[in-house]
Every structure is written in C-alpha cells, then in structure tokens.
Amino acid sequence: MSERRPSARAVRAPLKLAAACLALFATLATAQAQTPGGGRCGDAADFAFLPAPLVPWKGAPLRVVLTAEQPFDAEFTLTAPDGSVAARSHERHGGPPYFWYAEVATPAAGTWHATLSRGGDCPPIARDIAVRDSEGPRPGATAGSVWPLRNAWNRGTENLYSAWIEKLFDAPFDDAPSWKALHEVLRDRNRNVLFDYLGLREDEIGQIVRPDCADLPYFLRAYFAFKMGLPFGFSKCTRGGGGQPPKCGPWLNIQTVDAVRAAPKPAEASPDQAADAQAAPAAPAPKLGLVGAFGKLLFAAGDSVHSGTARAPNADDNTDYYPVPLSEATLRPGATYVDPYGHVLVLSKRVAQTTDAPGLFFAVDAQPDGTVARKRYWRGNFLFVQDPSLGSPGFKRFRPIVAGANGALRRLTNAEIAKNPNYSDFSLEQSKLDMEAFYDKMDDVMSPTPLDPVRAMKDAIDSLEEQVKTRVVSVENGRKFMLTGRTAEMPDGPAIFETSGAWEDFATPARDLRLLIAIDVVRKFPERVVRRPERFAMPMGRSPADVERELQGVLASELAARKFAYTRTDGSPWTLALKDVIDRAPLLEMAYNVNDCVELRWGAEPKTDEAATCKRTAPEAQRARMTRFRPWFHDRRRPARGVG
C-alpha cells in the first residue's frame, strides 16, 4: 500500500444519509417478508439485495445484485419508473451463494423495481429502489471509527461479499487472468460492483493498492467493509518458530486502530498490555477525510499481517480466521486458503461438476512483485501438510465481528460461531485429516461423481501448464531486475522463503517448491488412479493396470505437445515443452535465485545452445547456500522457521 494520503471530498449530511439508509433497509425487509419462511422457496434470510451506488441517482449507473442460498431458475428484471423493463437477465451465477446481476447505464429518476421471478408457486422477490434526480448526501469521516458503521456481518452481507468477489475476478474457465496490482482490478468499473459506491469518486483518485499474498484477503475484506459500512479488524501475531505455531496478540479494529498501531509486538506484550490495547479508545476523527483514512488503515493492516496471522491454530479463539468443514456449502468465494509454508489464496469461484467436466474451484493470490492472478485449485497450488509447529493450514473464513452492548467491536468465539444461525460452520474437521485424506475429501467435494480418468489427468496437466506460465512472468520480472546491474542479497536459512526487499520480490523459492510438488502430482497421476479407482469411471472390462498404461501414454504425448516460451538474457525467446520442465525437475531444485541468469533458472545445461546467452550467475557464497538448502526442495518439504 502506498503511503500517499489522498484526500476525499466528503459532504457531511449524516442525518439525511442515515434516513436514506434506514429507508433502504426497510424496503429490503419488506421484500424479504413477502417470502414464506423455509421450504423450497427459501427463508427470508436467504436473500439479500445490493443496489449501487449507496444513494442511487440518475447521473451514475444503477447496478443491482441479488443473492440467494438456492439455485432457482428465475428471471431478474429492473423495471423503470414508467413501467418499462430496462434490464433483464436469466443468467444465474455462483453457487452457493447464487446471484443475479443487472445494470442500467443511465437510470431515470423515480422508483425502480428489482424483481426475481421464480417458477411454481414461489412468490417473486421484489425490491423498490429510489433513484434521485441529483446526487445525494455522502458519508464522511466520523469520530470514534475509521468509517461509520451502517451494516452488520450476517448471512446476507457475507453472501454479498461472496458475489462481489466472484464478479471482481470472473473470467472464462480457460483464461488465466492476472493484474499488475490489486488496484487495477478495483478500478475496473465493469468488474467492481462497488466502484465509486460511496459517491466520493473514491476509486478515481489513483490510490495504490499492492498487497502481498497474506495482505490480499485483508485488503479485499477491508475494501468491502469500508464501502458497505461494516466492522473490520486485524491481529498482530507472531510468525511462529522454535517448534511453536504462530500466536496472535492485540486485535486492532476500526474503532481502535489509531490508538494501538504502535502497540508492542505480540511476543513482547503482556496479557494486561494486550487487553489495554484492545480496550483503548480511538483517536479523534482523522483529518484525512474518509477515503484518506481508509488508505491509512490499509497501510496499517499491510504492515501488521503476514502468513503467520492466517496459520494461527484452528482451535484458538484469539485469531482473525476460523476453520470450516470441507463442503460445497462452506467453500464459498471469499474463503481463505492457508498453506502450511506461508502462501495464502482467496477462493473466487466454484464451478459445479457436469456430465462431461469435473468440478472446479478458482482462487486468486498476490505475489511479492504485486501481481494478482487467478488460478485453479489443485495440489500444486494448494499445499497441505499437518505440522503443529507450522500452525493450522486449510480453508478458513474471517471471524465475524459484532458490536457489543456498549457499541465496542469484538469477534465471535468458535463456540459462538458454531451456534450462530448466520454461520454455524465452525469445524475442526481439517485438523484431523492427513495430507492424502485432505486431497481425497477435496476431490469428493469438487466432483461427487466419478471422473473420466483421461479427462481428469488432462485437467491436472492444464493446471501444471498454468503454473509454469505464471512462473514465466515471475522469472521475466527477475530478468528485468538483473538488467539494472544490482545483486539481490540472499537471506540465510528458512528466511529465503519469507523476507523482504529484492529477494522477496524477484526470487522464487516458495513458488518453485510448489512447482516441484505440482510436477510430482502430474507425473504420479496414473499411479493415483490405481490407488483410488473408486474415484474414477473406469472403462468397462479394463483393469486399473490397463488404464494406468493408457494414462502413461497420454501423459507422455500431452507433455511433449504443450509448449511455452521464455525470454533469455539477451532478449531472445526460447521455447520449451512441459516435458522439459518435468525432465529438469532436479535442476529446478537450484533455480530460484534471482541473481542467476534466466537460462539457469529454467534448468538449461551449461555449454548448450540454450545456455549460450547466459551472462551471469549468483555469487559463489550464495550458490553454496543453495547447495546446503537443496534437500528442502528435493524432499518437497519447506523447513520450519528457526531451522538452519
């Protein structure tokens, strides 16, 4: 997050704005009351509307999202004040939650009607939306909070959060979209339903938003909370080490962040200090304006959270995340995946299995160079291993934040989440699974019906190809860094996987470890079919051994046929096949150093035509360290912090 502190034009009309918001939610309650409780038509709490902007007016596009828990076949319409249908959609997105979207570029002033018409005897879900003739009042800075609270976290707002995430990063299945920074996505008004939602031109002022992987879930959650007037907070946690998992200390939120920003680190703070920090009152209302205060909060969050924050033990209540069971209902867009070695991803879409295609999960992550990209769930991207010293990996959701009787914010405990009807999804199931059991359960969740083994293996090869092409971008960024003539300082020990500066930005030890694991997954896929034949639709009359031989042949031809190119040191292209990547796996155990030429980083053998353009290698002292660390990559197991 840049330290720029842009100011925002904040028109203060709190009473009018509050009245408008109350009217908005009153119409929502009226619409929900039209739905009979329970049964196939759904409960009132199963539906949520989001009209945008906050105060609709004729000079801004009117965007409307409606979410539901059930996959109704329905028509979603926006009807203008004159009775004409201005927008109509039969396209249902997501699942779950499911959502419909409609937009009118230039809405007329007056009362609009958003309607979801369902078949059978289920009544329509209807909502009136008042569109003003001129711009309405806008929220401004408020005393005692970074931004004013207008909403609460519940099933409806969580479902809207999921729908917002899915639309923000959506793309055709075969695409692998990426952006140079998160702010590029947020500034895309075709993706971002909340673009300029507050009416402050808040997405047009050039604010830089560049998270790393651990920051990304927090930045997305904070952005949505800021726009929607929801609570938000984050913890200061240790990274773990010395055989101990991460542990969280003071919790900062939008009511206390200014007062505790300089609080002692968790390892240094006593329980009394931590309690005092959480109870400390907020500083007076900031003079930065609402948007500037939000930018300052993002900077504070990015300066505080890290991968250890997400790996805090699942059974602990003093954490920002809580674990969920592995099911279609719980793995929703916005859920966070935490791998044991420090990488963090955010689920962005679930695609249900069909008769001719397996189910899919997509997720987005951020890299140290600022790149944000979407990728498929599979073993190569989602690492899982149980090691208490590393903390708790797996899928988690943000712990709900609620206002107490005195208005002070607090997080729900695990027990409270389990009993809360809006959530009820706390579970320690993942903590009881070993690696193979976790991946087997995920296969069952994504594709409940047995898969065609050839198609399933080709999907695994697709995922490896996507991962290799992502590495092309990372290595190219390193090549451009080398052109500056600088040398990146190499950390010692496990810090090579998690540090700061040029090494963190351009070296690829963590990414290469994941790539090596991905190579193993693809190479061993035929063996996996034999190990678990019940997961696959085995051809009639053929044994698992017959199928394994067929898969080996398909694997060889696919790996040889799939090509990609990287840029050599002199700027010339060089083409490789996925087969080359597989064959060079041993060399890729020593290919992550940004101070080596790109030819070496792709496993080129010395004195070959490919390596002829290599003009630089890492210093001998760094190569010696890499040799010492090579067993970590060879064994495909990242060391715990504190291991030399």
Side-chain angles (χ1 to χ4, degrees), residues 54-276:
L54 174 61
V55 182
W57 75 292
K58 69 177 185 180
L62 175 64
R63 309 181 187 99
V64 184
V65 177
L66 184 151
T67 67
E69 284 290 320
Q70 299 181 35
F72 298 108
D73 290 326
E75 179 183 72
F76 188 46
T77 57
L78 290 182
T79 305
D82 65 2
S84 63
V85 176
R88 186 192 311 271
S89 176
H90 291 88
E91 186 175 7
R92 184 185 69 228
H93 306 269
Y98 303 90
F99 70 95
W100 293 260
Y101 175 77
E103 178 175 341
V104 177
T106 54
T111 300
W112 285 70
H113 308 283
T115 307
L116 186 73
S117 301
R118 302 172 289 170
D121 58 359
C122 291
I125 306 298
R127 165 74 180 281
D128 291 345
I129 303 170
V131 174
R132 295 169 56 99
D133 189 59
S134 59
E135 291 188 77
R138 304 162 192 157
T142 183
S145 183
V146 177
W147 58 74
L149 293 177
R150 304 186 307 274
N151 280 320
W153 286 110
N154 52 39
R155 187 189 310 175
T157 47
E158 294 284 5
N159 284 350
L160 290 172
Y161 178 61
S162 293
W164 175 71
I165 290 282
E166 178 165 336
K167 191 172 190 318
L168 190 66
F169 296 107
D170 202 15
F173 297 167
D174 293 335
D175 287 2
S178 65
W179 300 266
K180 292 181 180 178
L182 180 59
H183 57 256
E184 288 191 358
V185 195
L186 297 176
R187 294 175 192 171
D188 186 342
R189 66 187 69 205
N190 294 318
R191 290 183 172 277
N192 186 4
V193 177
L194 296 177
F195 183 88
D196 282 353
Y197 176 78
L198 299 177
L200 300 170
R201 314 299 191 264
E202 65 270 17
D203 290 303
E204 302 180 60
I205 58 178
Q207 194 164 17
I208 302 301
V209 186
R210 198 184 298 275
D212 63 19
C213 74
D215 297 336
L216 180 63
Y218 285 89
F219 281 25
L220 291 171
R221 189 76 165 182
Y223 182 93
F224 185 83
F226 167 61
K227 297 281 187 152
M228 297 291 291
L230 289 159
F232 173 77
F234 54 92
S235 295
K236 287 180 173 286
C237 309
T238 68
R239 294 180 181 272
Q244 297 299 315
K247 184 175 179 59
C248 295
W251 179 60
L252 291 68
N253 62 65
I254 58 173
Q255 295 177 342
T256 64
V257 64
D258 285 334
V260 299
R261 186 175 178 185
K265 295 179 181 179
E268 302 167 346
S270 69
D272 289 341
Q273 288 174 317
D276 289 344

Side-chain angles (χ1 to χ4, degrees), residues 310-556:
R311 286 184 285 109
N314 282 343
D316 194 344
D317 287 320
N318 187 36
T319 62
D320 291 340
Y321 296 101
Y322 70 95
V324 296
L326 301 181
S327 71
E328 295 178 8
T330 55
L331 300 184
R332 301 176 175 224
T336 299
Y337 184 80
V338 187
D339 88 18
Y341 302 129
H343 198 54
V344 181
L345 304 98
V346 179
L347 283 186
S348 63
K349 186 180 183 69
R350 173 183 170 267
V351 181
Q353 182 183 18
T354 64
T355 55
D356 57 357
L360 292 172
F361 280 110
F362 288 101
V364 289
D365 66 358
Q367 298 293 345
D369 61 9
T371 303
V372 174
R374 192 189 77 167
K375 51 200 58 174
R376 301 179 186 210
Y377 165 88
W378 80 304
R379 285 192 180 204
N381 288 328
F382 288 67
L383 306 187
F384 187 89
V385 65
Q386 296 286 9
D387 184 339
S389 68
L390 297 175
S392 295
F395 287 98
K396 306 184 182 186
R397 292 180 68 180
F398 274 104
R399 191 174 293 278
I401 302 172
V402 299
N406 61 355
L409 297 178
R410 70 175 186 89
R411 295 168 296 178
L412 295 184
T413 66
N414 294 334
E416 289 175 319
I417 293 169
K419 294 185 294 185
N420 190 307
N422 286 293
Y423 294 91
S424 305
D425 57 353
F426 168 77
S427 172
L428 293 175
E429 172 195 12
Q430 296 177 76
S431 299
K432 302 171 185 176
L433 300 176
D434 63 18
M435 181 174 66
E436 290 303 324
F438 173 84
Y439 289 122
D440 287 347
K441 181 63 182 289
M442 284 300 300
D443 286 346
D444 294 342
V445 171
M446 290 192 299
S447 300
T449 302
L451 299 166
D452 174 78
V454 173
R455 176 61 187 269
M457 187 176 71
K458 287 184 177 180
D459 284 335
I461 298 171
D462 288 343
S463 297
L464 174 63
E465 185 176 24
E466 178 183 284
Q467 202 160 337
V468 168
K469 289 180 177 179
T470 299
R471 188 179 189 269
V472 170
V473 176
S474 298
V475 174
E476 172 62 8
N477 289 338
R479 186 185 75 88
K480 292 176 179 177
F481 170 79
M482 286 186 68
L483 293 177
T484 67
R486 292 181 288 167
T487 298
E489 183 178 347
M490 179 182 180
D492 198 6
I496 64 168
F497 294 103
E498 191 173 5
T499 184
S500 59
W503 181 270
E504 176 73 3
D505 291 342
F506 303 113
T508 55
R511 280 163 277 186
D512 285 7
L513 178 61
R514 292 194 294 273
L515 178 62
L516 289 167
I517 293 172
I519 288 171
D520 292 345
V521 171
V522 168
R523 187 164 46 192
K524 297 177 181 178
F525 194 91
E527 301 171 24
R528 186 163 179 269
V529 173
V530 174
R531 180 181 69 82
R532 203 172 181 227
E534 72 278 3
R535 280 292 305 139
F536 300 93
M538 308 299 279
M540 185 71 68
R542 301 187 64 190
S543 69
D546 293 334
V547 175
E548 181 181 11
R549 283 191 291 272
E550 179 187 0
L551 292 176
Q552 292 288 6
V554 173
L555 179 61

